[in-house]
Amino acid sequence: MKTALVTGITGQDGSYLSEYLLSLGYRVVGMLRRTSTQPTARIDHLRDKVDLAHADLLDQFSMVRLLEEYEPDEVYNLAAQSFVPTSFYEPVLTAEFTALGVTRLLEAIRHTRPQARFYQASSSEMFGKVVESPQTEATPFHPRSPYGVAKVYGHWITVNYRESYDLYACSGILFNHESPRRGLEFVTRKITDGVARIAFGLDDKLPMGNLDARRDWGYAGDYVRAMHMMLQQEHPEDYVVATGETHSVREFCQHAFHRVGLDYEDFVTIDPRFYRPAEVDLLLGKPDKARQELGWKPEVDFPSLVEMMVDADVQRYLKAGRSPVRGEIPEVVLSQS
Ligand code: NAP
Ligand code: G4F
């Protein structure tokens, strides 16, 4: 039985990756930071199947301790300050977690468990103000936020440790991936929860930022399979993971409101507070290398992703005893509740 250490296990990707690794027969050790409230909603259904251990990206020896105690074969570094707007308000903290945290963990691995295979969660935000479309593993980086800059650091320090110390260390350059477990502050979940709140009469408007930004959105459950595949190769390499399709925030709104029989133009308003100091206008990935070398491909397309997320949020309000007051909830959603 292989052991995997997953940092960021309480996050969206940590929960899907843990489910996937458990299904493959892994022992999963989840690293989480100490908090005064329980941040484990996304993994409560896995609590008796995973080992949870406290450590923090800010504290190198806390990670050394985990590596010594659990002796993992694979380490997936998913922990980060991952919300782009927060990185403009807390740039130093973002760098500590999202950039230097990677070096702390790599140093801990190098000294304690050098045979462990290491996955770094790199991001399409590194392409930022894109110099070409679609973006591949060879596209130069031009990050547009402190978060993007921190991810570029994490990416290159992973390359550097691979080249300097012969570690099996690689990065997945993942484009945006979403799910019903996505944090409510990210645009897709903000929209799908907003649609549900409007349908149930809890809100009348959905204030949004730049509707013209375009993203290559996939399903998180598909993307965690690629993370695992990257650690099963003969040689460590970096891979773009994306769908190869791009859609605007406006299109996401249109599809999401349409799912409950509403027109987004009646509810979406523009609020300049949600604009960013520097925007990433367009992301579009070309995942050919992952398809050819890993045999990876996404299973969930854009309309299915939007519907999955809207349906899950609508069901949450139905289960809480709320009744819809606007639009038309699909029969298939009503019948499941
Ligand atoms: P997420 O839901 O925001 O989860 C982030 C995780 O990091 C949480 O478990 C969080 O713990 C943990 N964390 C934050 N600071 C920490 C610290 N100092 N010490 C220990 N743990 C800490 O992010 P996600 O969407 O799952 O993304 C996973 C990773 O992929 C992140 O590195 C993200 O930057 C990267 N990424 C995401 C996407 C995407 O579209 N989702 C695309 C490309 C790359 P708490 O629960 O305690 O906050
Ligand atoms: O959902 P978002 O906040 O995600 P963003 O900035 O693309 O970052 C996500 O994807 C990255 C991969 O490329 C990850 F590395 C990162 O950790 C994170 O998961 O915003 C998407 C777009 C932006 O262009 C933003 O300006 O949506 C636009 N947007 C328009 N109105 C909004 C809003 N974003 C948010 N969060 N809230 C709005 O009201």
Side-chain angles (χ1 to χ4, degrees), residues 203-254:
D203 284 331
D204 297 321
K205 294 289 173 201
L206 179 59
M208 299 288 303
N210 179 12
L211 297 184
D212 297 317
R214 301 184 73 85
R215 290 291 183 274
D216 180 329
W217 278 298
Y219 170 53
D222 285 338
Y223 285 35
V224 299
R225 286 189 285 109
M227 298 176 187
H228 174 257
M229 285 169 167
M230 282 179 218
L231 295 199
Q232 315 310 313
Q233 305 306 303
E234 203 170 329
H235 303 291
E237 289 193 31
D238 305 325
Y239 294 87
V240 158
V241 179
T243 69
E245 268 186 37
T246 187
H247 297 274
S248 65
V249 174
R250 187 185 307 280
E251 279 173 75
F252 198 106
C253 289
Q254 271 165 349

Side-chain angles (χ1 to χ4, degrees), residues 19-166:
E19 275 172 11
Y20 183 61
L21 293 173
L22 287 169
S23 78
L24 298 177
Y26 277 70
R27 177 192 190 194
V28 174
V29 180
M31 175 182 126
L32 75 172
R33 51 183 169 170
R34 193 266 161 187
T35 46
S36 66
T37 51
Q38 284 295 341
T40 54
R42 294 184 178 106
I43 52 162
D44 278 343
H45 61 298
L46 305 176
R47 281 299 282 276
D48 57 349
K49 301 191 181 84
V50 297
D51 291 303
L52 294 179
H54 283 126
D56 198 297
L57 289 174
L58 295 181
D59 188 324
Q60 187 163 354
F61 287 101
S62 68
M63 294 187 283
V64 167
R65 192 175 45 75
L66 289 199
L67 292 165
E68 283 177 345
E69 184 174 345
Y70 292 99
E71 301 181 334
D73 303 289
E74 297 172 9
V75 177
Y76 295 87
N77 184 33
L78 308 184
Q81 191 302 97
S82 74
F83 190 47
V84 171
T86 297
S87 79
F88 286 102
Y89 299 114
E90 298 176 3
V92 176
L93 190 76
T94 299
E96 287 286 355
F97 288 4
T98 306
L100 285 177
V102 187
T103 310
R104 292 190 193 97
L105 182 50
L106 281 167
E107 272 291 282
I109 290 171
R110 179 164 86 87
H111 290 289
T112 315
R113 191 78 186 151
Q115 67 273 48
R117 295 188 166 202
F118 176 77
Y119 172 87
Q120 165 59 14
S122 285
S123 165
S124 53
E125 272 288 311
M126 300 188 304
F127 297 123
K129 191 172 163 62
V130 298
V131 299
E132 63 179 11
S133 272
Q135 294 88 52
T136 72
E137 293 80 5
T139 302
F141 300 141
H142 184 149
R144 295 274 278 173
S145 63
Y147 168 81
V149 174
K151 280 290 177 187
V152 171
Y153 176 95
H155 186 83
W156 281 115
I157 201 71
T158 302
V159 172
N160 182 259
Y161 271 55
R162 176 167 76 215
E163 293 176 352
S164 305
Y165 306 115
D166 204 24

